[in-house]
Amino acid sequence: MEIKKDIQIKKFCFYGFFKNLKFFEPYLFIYFIRNGLSFLEIGILFSLKEIIIYTFEIPSGIIADYYGKKNELKMCFIMYIFSFLLFFIGHNFFILTIAMILFGLGEAFRSGTHKAMIYEYLEQNNIFHLKSRVYGYTRSYSKIGSAISSFLAIAIALNLKHYHTIFLFSILPYLIDFILVNSYDESLNGRVETEISLKKFIMLMKTQLKSIVSNKKLNNIVINSSVYASVYSVIKDYIQPIIVAFLLLTITDTVYDIDQLTKIILGVLYGTFSIGSVIVSRYSYKANKYISSKKIMDFTFIALGGILILISFSIKYNSIVVLLIIYFIIFVSEDFRKPHFIAITGDYMKKEERATVMSYNSQMKSTLMIVMSPLVGFVADKFSINMMFLILGILILFIVFTVFVFRNNKGEDNG
């Protein structure tokens, strides 16, 4: 089968493309700051989102596996749209809190479900062995969406008086995705249970979790993925205002004011880096010619600690070039790792627990972010952002040498 010509795989690609047309994304952190929020309050909002994801992640995976993946995905897009409407009207912490809760619910119901549908389709068509390549290919379309979104966001933001208006533009692509998901073949819904029973649901959840937690190889790769992803998610937006501040100091001759320059800089950064993510994601599978997916996951995790420490010194000594290079590496690293995570977990988990496993991975990430987001915000407020990166980098290296090295010494091989 030629994956580039397959109609359903094209639908998978365009799902990711429209999902990533988040015109607000380059400006979310700045949007919160302009609303008068402190770093601690911003951390609390992100932490709250992760609490919602944590609470509903596993139940959402069970719902997807047993009551229909298409049904759940359509529900998540409805939640996203309502959250965007609240972000648009939100001018105080309370409304932003409700918006973030709805956004978290959308994330919980979406995460893992679409990946499980891709697994299902590959298996139905006897091309399951191509899972890393297919996922990397579909994910590259997501990053194309991110790149286009970032560049379009510049044009949109420059013609808006207020940042909150940009949330309205994010509603349209999510409406398109709702229609697109609805067009998926019913065989991908994977609906098993036709009758909703709370007792049966709880029993299914216990069975699923027991099976997943007892799988040591699966758990090890999930821990690797979730720790890395949580740190990545927490720190990537903190670099934004620093880079903007550095670049604004170097730009002296311009017709734009500071607010317009900020919009342009953030849009160009996200757009350019997303192009890098397209390339990295699409060709990530080729690395397996030289190194296993398991080693790629381990090596990139170890590198993260050193990168965070390097960020700290780059900020301290105002090295904008080094900071830009590091930010690019961090930005694309998750897209390089994801196809390998999909390849490994695809071999370790059972068919009937795929959405649940992906939700379990997201829940573990959320658990870590619930703790880290406000803590990182507090450290940044109390001391400095560069000190925050230094502490986090040391913590990552500590995890490496006390957990992963210990496991390797036991001779455990996860493939």
Side-chain angles (χ1 to χ4, degrees), residues 156-173:
I156 295 170
L158 286 176
N159 289 284
L160 299 176
K161 290 184 178 180
H162 306 287
Y163 280 100
H164 69 269
T165 311
I166 206 166
F167 287 99
L168 290 180
F169 289 87
S170 298
I171 292 177
L172 180 59

PDB file of all heavy atoms in Angstrom, residues 156-173:
ATOM      1  N   ILE A 156      -3.115  37.951  11.345  1.00  0.00           N
ATOM      2  CA  ILE A 156      -4.338  38.137  12.139  1.00  0.00           C
ATOM      3  C   ILE A 156      -4.069  39.053  13.330  1.00  0.00           C
ATOM      4  O   ILE A 156      -4.796  40.012  13.577  1.00  0.00           O
ATOM      5  CB  ILE A 156      -4.884  36.773  12.628  1.00  0.00           C
ATOM      6  CG1 ILE A 156      -5.335  35.920  11.437  1.00  0.00           C
ATOM      7  CG2 ILE A 156      -6.054  36.969  13.593  1.00  0.00           C
ATOM      8  CD1 ILE A 156      -5.667  34.488  11.800  1.00  0.00           C
ATOM      9  N   ALA A 157      -2.993  38.739  14.068  1.00  0.00           N
ATOM     10  CA  ALA A 157      -2.688  39.490  15.288  1.00  0.00           C
ATOM     11  C   ALA A 157      -2.366  40.960  15.005  1.00  0.00           C
ATOM     12  O   ALA A 157      -2.738  41.848  15.781  1.00  0.00           O
ATOM     13  CB  ALA A 157      -1.516  38.830  16.025  1.00  0.00           C
ATOM     14  N   LEU A 158      -1.681  41.225  13.884  1.00  0.00           N
ATOM     15  CA  LEU A 158      -1.313  42.605  13.559  1.00  0.00           C
ATOM     16  C   LEU A 158      -2.523  43.467  13.235  1.00  0.00           C
ATOM     17  O   LEU A 158      -2.472  44.690  13.331  1.00  0.00           O
ATOM     18  CB  LEU A 158      -0.330  42.629  12.387  1.00  0.00           C
ATOM     19  CG  LEU A 158       1.107  42.191  12.686  1.00  0.00           C
ATOM     20  CD1 LEU A 158       1.940  42.167  11.420  1.00  0.00           C
ATOM     21  CD2 LEU A 158       1.743  43.106  13.731  1.00  0.00           C
ATOM     22  N   ASN A 159      -3.608  42.810  12.849  1.00  0.00           N
ATOM     23  CA  ASN A 159      -4.827  43.551  12.505  1.00  0.00           C
ATOM     24  C   ASN A 159      -5.870  43.520  13.618  1.00  0.00           C
ATOM     25  O   ASN A 159      -7.020  43.909  13.411  1.00  0.00           O
ATOM     26  CB  ASN A 159      -5.429  42.980  11.211  1.00  0.00           C
ATOM     27  CG  ASN A 159      -4.601  43.327   9.987  1.00  0.00           C
ATOM     28  OD1 ASN A 159      -4.634  44.447   9.495  1.00  0.00           O
ATOM     29  ND2 ASN A 159      -3.824  42.366   9.514  1.00  0.00           N
ATOM     30  N   LEU A 160      -5.444  43.059  14.785  1.00  0.00           N
ATOM     31  CA  LEU A 160      -6.345  43.021  15.937  1.00  0.00           C
ATOM     32  C   LEU A 160      -5.848  43.968  17.022  1.00  0.00           C
ATOM     33  O   LEU A 160      -4.650  44.097  17.238  1.00  0.00           O
ATOM     34  CB  LEU A 160      -6.422  41.598  16.507  1.00  0.00           C
ATOM     35  CG  LEU A 160      -6.948  40.496  15.575  1.00  0.00           C
ATOM     36  CD1 LEU A 160      -6.864  39.145  16.279  1.00  0.00           C
ATOM     37  CD2 LEU A 160      -8.387  40.784  15.169  1.00  0.00           C
ATOM     38  N   LYS A 161      -6.778  44.615  17.679  1.00  0.00           N
ATOM     39  CA  LYS A 161      -6.407  45.510  18.777  1.00  0.00           C
ATOM     40  C   LYS A 161      -6.108  44.724  20.049  1.00  0.00           C
ATOM     41  O   LYS A 161      -5.315  45.147  20.877  1.00  0.00           O
ATOM     42  CB  LYS A 161      -7.534  46.508  19.048  1.00  0.00           C
ATOM     43  CG  LYS A 161      -7.731  47.549  17.943  1.00  0.00           C
ATOM     44  CD  LYS A 161      -8.804  48.554  18.336  1.00  0.00           C
ATOM     45  CE  LYS A 161      -8.970  49.617  17.262  1.00  0.00           C
ATOM     46  NZ  LYS A 161     -10.027  50.613  17.622  1.00  0.00           N
ATOM     47  N   HIS A 162      -6.784  43.573  20.212  1.00  0.00           N
ATOM     48  CA  HIS A 162      -6.631  42.789  21.431  1.00  0.00           C
ATOM     49  C   HIS A 162      -6.318  41.330  21.097  1.00  0.00           C
ATOM     50  O   HIS A 162      -6.852  40.778  20.129  1.00  0.00           O
ATOM     51  CB  HIS A 162      -7.899  42.865  22.275  1.00  0.00           C
ATOM     52  CG  HIS A 162      -8.349  44.264  22.577  1.00  0.00           C
ATOM     53  ND1 HIS A 162      -7.672  45.073  23.478  1.00  0.00           N
ATOM     54  CD2 HIS A 162      -9.380  45.003  22.104  1.00  0.00           C
ATOM     55  CE1 HIS A 162      -8.273  46.244  23.549  1.00  0.00           C
ATOM     56  NE2 HIS A 162      -9.312  46.229  22.725  1.00  0.00           N
ATOM     57  N   TYR A 163      -5.481  40.722  21.929  1.00  0.00           N
ATOM     58  CA  TYR A 163      -5.074  39.342  21.702  1.00  0.00           C
ATOM     59  C   TYR A 163      -6.253  38.373  21.768  1.00  0.00           C
ATOM     60  O   TYR A 163      -6.267  37.351  21.076  1.00  0.00           O
ATOM     61  CB  TYR A 163      -4.034  38.921  22.752  1.00  0.00           C
ATOM     62  CG  TYR A 163      -2.634  39.399  22.470  1.00  0.00           C
ATOM     63  CD1 TYR A 163      -2.113  40.514  23.119  1.00  0.00           C
ATOM     64  CD2 TYR A 163      -1.816  38.736  21.561  1.00  0.00           C
ATOM     65  CE1 TYR A 163      -0.813  40.960  22.866  1.00  0.00           C
ATOM     66  CE2 TYR A 163      -0.518  39.168  21.297  1.00  0.00           C
ATOM     67  CZ  TYR A 163      -0.024  40.281  21.962  1.00  0.00           C
ATOM     68  OH  TYR A 163       1.250  40.710  21.704  1.00  0.00           O
ATOM     69  N   HIS A 164      -7.259  38.662  22.600  1.00  0.00           N
ATOM     70  CA  HIS A 164      -8.330  37.683  22.826  1.00  0.00           C
ATOM     71  C   HIS A 164      -9.154  37.406  21.568  1.00  0.00           C
ATOM     72  O   HIS A 164      -9.742  36.333  21.436  1.00  0.00           O
ATOM     73  CB  HIS A 164      -9.253  38.155  23.963  1.00  0.00           C
ATOM     74  CG  HIS A 164     -10.083  39.353  23.623  1.00  0.00           C
ATOM     75  ND1 HIS A 164      -9.649  40.644  23.868  1.00  0.00           N
ATOM     76  CD2 HIS A 164     -11.309  39.469  23.050  1.00  0.00           C
ATOM     77  CE1 HIS A 164     -10.581  41.487  23.468  1.00  0.00           C
ATOM     78  NE2 HIS A 164     -11.590  40.810  22.971  1.00  0.00           N
ATOM     79  N   THR A 165      -9.179  38.343  20.615  1.00  0.00           N
ATOM     80  CA  THR A 165      -9.968  38.150  19.397  1.00  0.00           C
ATOM     81  C   THR A 165      -9.461  36.979  18.568  1.00  0.00           C
ATOM     82  O   THR A 165     -10.222  36.354  17.816  1.00  0.00           O
ATOM     83  CB  THR A 165      -9.953  39.429  18.536  1.00  0.00           C
ATOM     84  OG1 THR A 165     -10.261  40.552  19.349  1.00  0.00           O
ATOM     85  CG2 THR A 165     -10.970  39.352  17.407  1.00  0.00           C
ATOM     86  N   ILE A 166      -8.209  36.649  18.718  1.00  0.00           N
ATOM     87  CA  ILE A 166      -7.610  35.589  17.899  1.00  0.00           C
ATOM     88  C   ILE A 166      -8.223  34.226  18.190  1.00  0.00           C
ATOM     89  O   ILE A 166      -8.165  33.305  17.360  1.00  0.00           O
ATOM     90  CB  ILE A 166      -6.072  35.571  18.093  1.00  0.00           C
ATOM     91  CG1 ILE A 166      -5.391  34.975  16.858  1.00  0.00           C
ATOM     92  CG2 ILE A 166      -5.681  34.814  19.354  1.00  0.00           C
ATOM     93  CD1 ILE A 166      -3.904  35.232  16.815  1.00  0.00           C
ATOM     94  N   PHE A 167      -8.841  34.070  19.369  1.00  0.00           N
ATOM     95  CA  PHE A 167      -9.468  32.791  19.708  1.00  0.00           C
ATOM     96  C   PHE A 167     -10.665  32.499  18.800  1.00  0.00           C
ATOM     97  O   PHE A 167     -10.984  31.328  18.556  1.00  0.00           O
ATOM     98  CB  PHE A 167      -9.896  32.774  21.177  1.00  0.00           C
ATOM     99  CG  PHE A 167      -8.748  32.650  22.133  1.00  0.00           C
ATOM    100  CD1 PHE A 167      -8.236  33.779  22.767  1.00  0.00           C
ATOM    101  CD2 PHE A 167      -8.160  31.423  22.385  1.00  0.00           C
ATOM    102  CE1 PHE A 167      -7.168  33.675  23.643  1.00  0.00           C
ATOM    103  CE2 PHE A 167      -7.089  31.312  23.255  1.00  0.00           C
ATOM    104  CZ  PHE A 167      -6.594  32.438  23.886  1.00  0.00           C
ATOM    105  N   LEU A 168     -11.317  33.537  18.313  1.00  0.00           N
ATOM    106  CA  LEU A 168     -12.456  33.327  17.417  1.00  0.00           C
ATOM    107  C   LEU A 168     -12.014  32.667  16.113  1.00  0.00           C
ATOM    108  O   LEU A 168     -12.747  31.863  15.529  1.00  0.00           O
ATOM    109  CB  LEU A 168     -13.156  34.660  17.114  1.00  0.00           C
ATOM    110  CG  LEU A 168     -13.919  35.319  18.260  1.00  0.00           C
ATOM    111  CD1 LEU A 168     -14.544  36.617  17.774  1.00  0.00           C
ATOM    112  CD2 LEU A 168     -14.990  34.386  18.803  1.00  0.00           C
ATOM    113  N   PHE A 169     -10.821  33.021  15.633  1.00  0.00           N
ATOM    114  CA  PHE A 169     -10.319  32.460  14.385  1.00  0.00           C
ATOM    115  C   PHE A 169      -9.967  30.972  14.527  1.00  0.00           C
ATOM    116  O   PHE A 169      -9.865  30.264  13.531  1.00  0.00           O
ATOM    117  CB  PHE A 169      -9.087  33.242  13.915  1.00  0.00           C
ATOM    118  CG  PHE A 169      -9.404  34.622  13.413  1.00  0.00           C
ATOM    119  CD1 PHE A 169      -9.470  35.701  14.282  1.00  0.00           C
ATOM    120  CD2 PHE A 169      -9.645  34.837  12.066  1.00  0.00           C
ATOM    121  CE1 PHE A 169      -9.767  36.968  13.825  1.00  0.00           C
ATOM    122  CE2 PHE A 169      -9.947  36.109  11.590  1.00  0.00           C
ATOM    123  CZ  PHE A 169     -10.015  37.177  12.476  1.00  0.00           C
ATOM    124  N   SER A 170      -9.763  30.514  15.763  1.00  0.00           N
ATOM    125  CA  SER A 170      -9.411  29.112  15.996  1.00  0.00           C
ATOM    126  C   SER A 170     -10.625  28.186  15.994  1.00  0.00           C
ATOM    127  O   SER A 170     -10.468  26.966  15.984  1.00  0.00           O
ATOM    128  CB  SER A 170      -8.665  28.976  17.338  1.00  0.00           C
ATOM    129  OG  SER A 170      -7.459  29.692  17.316  1.00  0.00           O
ATOM    130  N   ILE A 171     -11.811  28.764  16.001  1.00  0.00           N
ATOM    131  CA  ILE A 171     -13.033  27.943  16.045  1.00  0.00           C
ATOM    132  C   ILE A 171     -13.282  27.237  14.713  1.00  0.00           C
ATOM    133  O   ILE A 171     -13.646  26.049  14.685  1.00  0.00           O
ATOM    134  CB  ILE A 171     -14.251  28.804  16.433  1.00  0.00           C
ATOM    135  CG1 ILE A 171     -14.121  29.267  17.890  1.00  0.00           C
ATOM    136  CG2 ILE A 171     -15.551  28.025  16.236  1.00  0.00           C
ATOM    137  CD1 ILE A 171     -15.230  30.187  18.352  1.00  0.00           C
ATOM    138  N   LEU A 172     -13.072  27.934  13.589  1.00  0.00           N
ATOM    139  CA  LEU A 172     -13.382  27.384  12.266  1.00  0.00           C
ATOM    140  C   LEU A 172     -12.673  26.061  11.975  1.00  0.00           C
ATOM    141  O   LEU A 172     -13.321  25.084  11.575  1.00  0.00           O
ATOM    142  CB  LEU A 172     -13.083  28.406  11.175  1.00  0.00           C
ATOM    143  CG  LEU A 172     -13.375  27.954   9.737  1.00  0.00           C
ATOM    144  CD1 LEU A 172     -14.846  27.571   9.576  1.00  0.00           C
ATOM    145  CD2 LEU A 172     -12.986  29.047   8.748  1.00  0.00           C
ATOM    146  N   PRO A 173     -11.340  25.965  12.134  1.00  0.00           N
ATOM    147  CA  PRO A 173     -10.680  24.684  11.844  1.00  0.00           C
ATOM    148  C   PRO A 173     -11.176  23.545  12.729  1.00  0.00           C
ATOM    149  O   PRO A 173     -11.180  22.390  12.301  1.00  0.00           O
ATOM    150  CB  PRO A 173      -9.195  24.978  12.089  1.00  0.00           C
ATOM    151  CG  PRO A 173      -9.150  26.238  12.862  1.00  0.00           C
ATOM    152  CD  PRO A 173     -10.355  27.013  12.473  1.00  0.00           C
TER     153      PRO A 173
END
